[in-house]
Amino acid sequence: MAPRASYTPSPARIDREWPHQIALPDDMCCDHNFTLIAAFCRDNALSFQTRRVQAVWPNKRYQDMRLHCFAKREDAELFQSHFGGEFFNPNSDREGGRRGWWQRSGVWTRLLESGPLKVPAILRD
């Protein structure tokens, strides 16, 4: 495993200091969407960190999710009101500890749009 850059907080520190986390499908947070997210956060003075978690549904479907982690609840709510996504609680949603998966209920359905974000065409199939 490659060493973490010294300016990147550890996963445990992110969960501790940025506990208000919004989950979006990872494939929705790349390409042009990455720029939209960064610009929105910059324009609204939102400081955040990112983590990842793998969501697993009862039918064994899974999806990589990107967590946008904020220190303040109101910052997370502003982010969610603009981009959508779901709140993720790092203390109770991660099965198997801090490196575990996110056990979901219901039936998996692929999310292709959320707020202004759309999965890039190349990743849709």
Side-chain angles (χ1 to χ4, degrees):
M1 180 186 311
R4 184 174 50 253
S6 62
Y7 54 84
T8 304
S10 70
R13 182 175 173 205
I14 290 173
D15 286 348
R16 189 174 54 252
E17 296 181 23
W18 294 271
H20 307 287
Q21 303 180 3
I22 305 296
L24 286 168
D26 194 57
D27 58 359
M28 196 174 286
C29 300
C30 62
D31 198 34
H32 178 67
N33 295 333
F34 178 84
T35 306
L36 289 175
I37 291 169
F40 177 82
C41 291
R42 182 190 64 242
D43 294 346
N44 289 282
L46 303 180
S47 175
F48 71 100
Q49 298 290 326
T50 59
R51 286 200 63 193
R52 293 178 191 223
V53 68
Q54 191 170 71
V56 180
W57 281 263
N59 63 355
K60 305 300 182 208
R61 292 295 303 244
Y62 64 91
Q63 185 170 26
D64 291 326
M65 305 292 277
R66 188 168 309 181
L67 303 173
H68 294 82
C69 311
F70 301 88
K72 295 187 240 172
R73 174 83 181 189
E74 56 269 17
D75 290 351
E77 289 171 349
L78 178 62
F79 182 90
Q80 184 194 37
S81 71
H82 189 72
F83 293 112
E86 295 181 56
F87 270 93
F88 177 86
N89 184 330
N91 296 320
S92 62
D93 288 342
R94 193 176 270 115
E95 293 275 338
R98 64 186 174 104
R99 293 185 181 246
W101 57 91
W102 185 13
Q103 190 64 48
R104 305 304 312 270
S105 59
V107 177
W108 176 84
T109 54
R110 184 152 189 221
L111 186 63
L112 296 174
E113 295 183 17
S114 184
L117 305 177
K118 295 180 177 151
V119 173
I122 195 166
L123 299 177
R124 287 182 177 253
D125 295 327

